[in-house]
């Protein structure tokens, strides 16, 4: 999904995963909001993202599953909350809060 300079919101009743972990951004946007109720984010296949303003990711409103995200380029972090789950953020650039 490529929103260019627009914002992206993915709100899933299940998990949010990539088809493959190939180093190419699966989700591109200015502000990316990811909310997964059950199964986490990037737990089956790491999700590659490119966010220019902020990445927000939440599994705490669901089952506190893990969050695994790779950023292609710098990663501006907004709010990332996995509750009792683990969070792994990786980036080909800087990771900034």
């Amino acid at each position: 999904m490529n929103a260019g300079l627009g914002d992206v919101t993915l709100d899933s009743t299940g998990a949010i995963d990539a088809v493959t972990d190939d180093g190419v951004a699966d989700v591109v946007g200015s502000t990316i909001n990811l909310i997964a109720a059950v199964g986490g984010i990037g737990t089956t296949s790491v999700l590659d993202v490119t966010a220019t303003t902020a990445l927000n990711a939440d599994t705490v409103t669901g089952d506190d599953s893990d969050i695994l995200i790779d950023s292609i380029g710098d990663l501006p972090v907004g709010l990332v909350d996995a509750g009792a789950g683990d969070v792994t953020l990786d980036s080909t650039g800087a990771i900034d809060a």
Side-chain angles (χ1 to χ4, degrees):
M1 169 175 296
N2 189 335
L5 298 176
D7 296 338
V8 175
T9 297
L10 299 176
D11 190 343
S12 174
T13 57
I16 300 173
D17 290 303
V19 174
T20 60
D21 183 15
D22 56 7
V24 175
D26 304 301
V27 182
V28 176
S30 178
T31 298
I32 298 174
N33 302 296
L34 306 171
I35 304 154
V38 177
I41 299 170
T43 56
T44 301
S45 183
V46 175
L47 189 67
D48 296 323
V49 302
T50 298
T52 55
T53 302
L55 168 74
N56 302 305
D58 178 11
T59 61
V60 76
T61 57
D63 64 353
D64 289 352
S65 291
D66 297 341
I67 298 173
L68 293 92
I69 294 175
D70 287 348
S71 174
I72 309 305
D74 293 345
L75 179 60
V77 177
L79 174 65
V80 177
D81 191 352
D86 294 327
V87 173
T88 302
L89 302 176
D90 191 16
S91 178
T92 59
I95 299 175
D96 297 313

